[in-house]
Amino acid sequence: MTDNMTNDDTTDARRTYRRRKVLAGLGAAGAAGLAGCGGLGGDSESDAGDGGGDDSGGGGGGATGGGDDRINAAFDDFRGSGPLAQGRSDIGGTRIGDLPNLSGELTIYLGGGEGGLYRDLLAKFENIYPDFTATPRESGTADAANTIISEGPATPADVFWSVDAGSLAAVSAEGLAAELPSEVVDPVPEEFHPDDTWVGTAGRARAVPYNTDELSEDDIPDDVMEFPEFEGFQDAIGWAPTYGAFQSFITAMRLIEGEEATREWLQGMLDAGVTEFNNEFLVSNAVADGALNGGFANHYYALRVQAARPNAPIDLAFTSGDAGGLINVAGASVLSASQNQELAFNFVRHLLSAEAQEFFATRTYGYPMVGEIPPVGGLPPVSELDPPSIDLRELSNIQPTLDLMRDVGVL
């Protein structure tokens, strides 16, 4: 977006991008598209070029970071192997070779369902830096946050790396997270590091997967609050209300629209015959199967479906400025009790390196947090979406949402 655009021009441009065929060009992506892709996570379940340099030789990763010798990091070692990882445009951002060496030991609490992918990335860092050791401890997002809060200043954790901003905010609210230096947070949009005690590492956008045999992109209402009355979704839309990402979406709705309007919306969706699924991948598959016209899901599930089934009639729409357009993030914080804070700060910088951001983009289909790294699959960049103005820290206040959902009969 250019600085001289009017507000109306900006809104119109965002809506144009919202309506674009974000999955266009994925038809050639076969089952191999799932290789290395497990989804971004985000629920306690839990999401194109030659790398801007010489992929095979590190692509400019030979800077010494303060005069130390280092092993160059090659993009190919981080990039996923599926078709969506091919043909990507030049990639900018800070390369691992431009960062200080990782040296020492860190205890990292991993919160959420992406432990395998996170361990894979940790192993890559340990490969590059023989003097670096990462000891992960895995659990659900809420469990990890509650453990840190219970341990307090005695926690052995140096870093909390979670798939959910709400859990990071909960730890921060207890005064247990250190303020991150500007060189850590500056590459990331401010809304994804609201108080600098944590920073987003990869994003996931709420989206509306829809069946292209039944609906066109212009059919989908731009306002999620209109969905209960939309004829195209009557008895033909799915959701996964036990999923953490869906509950964050309803929390955002409650904060934006108010409890009564959210209650009416939930009841309206029940009256419209919404179908319940155990997770949002199943929702997206049902849309592709033609069992549903549309659904509620994080954006990357439709890409996973399309990568495995290139001819599936599924596409994505994004609503504008409301809870349906929420962008949540995985992120990391450094614990204030850590005796290894400088190393921990440097580690978080590595999570925001070009190589790590490419790892998240091409292996989980998540939204990169660094602007120089494009998302996969023709997705519009974060800057061209229209999420609601909401402080992600407020998403940690989930209990009123659960109470409301139970009261309506959704849970």
Side-chain angles (χ1 to χ4, degrees):
M1 300 294 176
T2 58
D3 292 338
N4 61 351
M5 289 181 72
T6 67
N7 288 339
D8 287 343
D9 289 337
T10 301
T11 300
D12 289 342
R14 282 173 171 166
R15 287 178 177 172
T16 297
Y17 275 104
R18 182 188 70 80
R19 293 300 187 189
R20 70 186 288 183
K21 288 279 192 178
V22 297
L23 297 182
L26 281 184
L34 287 179
C37 176
L40 175 65
D43 313 299
S44 351
E45 73 256 15
S46 128
D47 76 359
D50 43 0
D54 179 5
D55 270 357
S56 61
T64 58
D68 296 323
D69 293 333
R70 70 176 66 252
I71 300 170
N72 288 341
F75 265 120
D76 279 354
D77 292 337
F78 289 81
R79 183 174 285 142
S81 59
L84 293 183
Q86 308 305 316
R88 284 169 59 73
S89 60
D90 287 350
I91 290 172
T94 299
R95 298 297 300 267
I96 283 176
D98 297 325
L99 296 174
N101 285 340
L102 292 172
S103 180
E105 298 182 7
L106 289 178
T107 297
I108 301 172
Y109 282 16
L110 302 179
E114 291 302 311
L117 285 168
Y118 287 177
R119 287 196 310 274
D120 188 14
L121 185 56
L122 293 176
K124 293 181 184 300
F125 289 153
E126 289 178 326
N127 245 3
I128 294 171
Y129 302 109
D131 295 330
F132 174 63
T133 300
T135 302
R137 176 174 170 178
E138 299 175 44
S139 60
T141 53
D143 288 342
N146 287 332
T147 297
I148 294 171
I149 292 169
S150 175
E151 292 171 341
T155 182
D158 298 299
V159 173
F160 180 29
W161 185 8
S162 172
V163 299
D164 179 61
S167 62
L168 294 162
V171 168
S172 176
E174 297 294 324
L176 298 173
E179 183 174 344
L180 298 170
S182 59
E183 62 264 24
V184 176
V185 301
D186 282 353
V188 177
E190 186 175 355
E191 59 266 34
F192 304 127
H193 57 95
D195 61 7
D196 292 349
T197 60
W198 57 269
V199 64
T201 55
R204 57 188 178 275
R206 296 303 295 172
V208 183
Y210 67 94
N211 185 286
T212 57
D213 288 341
E214 299 296 330
L215 298 172
S216 72
E217 54 187 350
D218 291 331
D219 291 330
I220 312 298
D222 193 57
D223 184 348
V224 74
M225 302 305 288
E226 298 177 8
F227 281 22
E229 304 301 323
F230 176 50
E231 186 64 30
F233 286 158
Q234 299 300 305
D235 296 312
I237 190 168
W239 66 15
T242 62
Y243 225 37
F246 183 86
Q247 293 170 6
S248 292
F249 154 56
I250 299 300
T251 299
M253 183 183 294
R254 179 175 58 80
L255 294 170
I256 296 167
E257 309 289 347
E259 183 167 324
E260 190 53 38
T262 303
R263 179 188 300 274
E264 292 177 1
W265 186 89
L266 289 168
Q267 186 61 57
M269 291 305 305
L270 291 175
D271 293 343
V274 66
T275 301
E276 180 176 339
F277 292 81
N278 288 334
N279 63 60
E280 293 182 347
F281 184 56
L282 294 177
V283 171
S284 299
N285 261 313
V287 170
D289 290 341
L292 300 173
N293 289 351
F296 299 97
N298 283 336
H299 76 274
Y300 49 81
Y301 288 118
L303 273 71
R304 290 177 62 189
V305 171
Q306 187 75 1
R309 302 161 59 188
N311 296 319
I314 186 172
D315 208 336
L316 287 175
F318 298 87
T319 62
S320 298
D322 58 28
L326 177 68
I327 299 176
N328 203 341
V329 293
S333 62
V334 172
L335 281 303
S336 54
S338 170
Q339 300 301 303
N340 302 300
Q341 284 194 2
E342 289 305 314
L343 174 58
F345 291 148
N346 188 21
F347 171 78
V348 177
R349 290 186 72 187
H350 276 71
L351 296 182
L352 297 170
S353 67
E355 290 87 348
Q357 290 291 292
E358 182 74 348
F359 178 95
F360 298 135
T362 62
R363 292 179 181 245
T364 74
Y365 299 162
Y367 266 104
M369 288 286 96
V370 177
E372 293 93 336
I373 315 297
V376 299
L379 289 168
V382 166
S383 61
E384 293 166 358
L385 296 177
D386 187 16
S389 297
I390 186 172
D391 188 333
L392 293 180
R393 291 173 292 183
E394 297 185 72
L395 297 181
S396 63
N397 187 20
I398 193 72
Q399 192 58 49
T401 299
L402 299 178
D403 292 342
L404 177 59
M405 293 173 70
R406 290 189 185 103
D407 190 45
V408 176
V410 174
L411 293 178

